[in-house]
Amino acid sequence: MENEKNIIQDLIRRAMKAREYSYSPYSNFSVGAAILSESGKIYTGCNIESASYTPTICAERVALFKAVSEGERKFKMLALVGGPKNGEKKTEEIVSPCGVCRQMLYEFGKDLKVVMADNEEKYEVRMLEELLPYGFGPDNLI
Ligand code: THU
């Protein structure tokens, strides 16, 4: 039986690998994400930027959209890793999902575990509902 720590660390490793593919020539801030579906599959993503800036998409949404486009609808856990490519961080804080990604993840369930990691040993786990309290989601619409 895989324990939760192994699952978390595996997801972090996959997010770290995905981060290597980050296309972020404008911000030089690279992010990788990995999302575990209820079916047990893992989908990864990295941030992808645009010269016109606004079409830029975060790693979390790339991972989520890959999964949803493969038919997945329910998710257990998402891990993300990120920071400046040169490693010089302004704060010691671990990267956390932006508001747009929190909203998009909320669409598929507030019970998602979000693992915000620097590496396999240094991470924090929060429920999506903690990151987006009083969120607006599918239940609010008829
Ligand atoms: N970014 C992510 O991929 N995920 C986050 O949670 C925070 C921000 C990306 C978007 C952009 O390419 C770069 O990081 C700087 O904002």
Side-chain angles (χ1 to χ4, degrees), residues 24 27 29 31 47-49 56-60 80 95-98 101:
S24 42
S27 72
F29 191 94
V31 185
N47 56 329
I48 305 169
E49 299 186 345
T56 291
I57 185 164
C58 296
E60 299 92 309
L80 74 147
V95 67
S96 80
C98 82
C101 289

Side-chain angles (χ1 to χ4, degrees), residues 18-75:
R19 184 181 174 192
E20 290 174 19
Y21 301 124
S22 165
Y23 178 74
S24 42
Y26 308 107
S27 72
N28 283 310
F29 191 94
S30 59
V31 185
I35 192 164
L36 172 65
S37 72
E38 263 192 15
S39 71
K41 276 202 200 166
I42 294 170
Y43 299 81
T44 60
C46 63
N47 56 329
I48 305 169
E49 299 186 345
S50 160
S52 64
Y53 290 21
T54 50
T56 291
I57 185 164
C58 296
E60 299 92 309
R61 271 174 295 142
V62 171
L64 177 69
F65 291 167
K66 279 169 72 178
V68 171
S69 69
E70 301 272 329
E72 305 285 2
R73 294 291 184 270
K74 290 186 171 169
F75 302 94

Side-chain angles (χ1 to χ4, degrees), residues 2-21 31-36 42-46 77-82 115-123:
E2 269 207 295
N3 67 30
E4 177 145 295
K5 190 171 179 190
N6 288 341
I7 296 169
I8 288 173
Q9 290 184 323
D10 180 44
L11 267 194
I12 293 171
R13 273 192 293 273
R14 300 225 197 191
M16 287 166 81
K17 181 75 200 161
R19 184 181 174 192
E20 290 174 19
Y21 301 124
V31 185
I35 192 164
L36 172 65
I42 294 170
Y43 299 81
T44 60
C46 63
M77 200 186 285
L78 172 133
L80 74 147
V81 290
V115 180
M116 298 166 278
D118 265 352
N119 55 54
E120 287 156 72
E121 302 304 329
K122 189 176 172 214
Y123 59 83

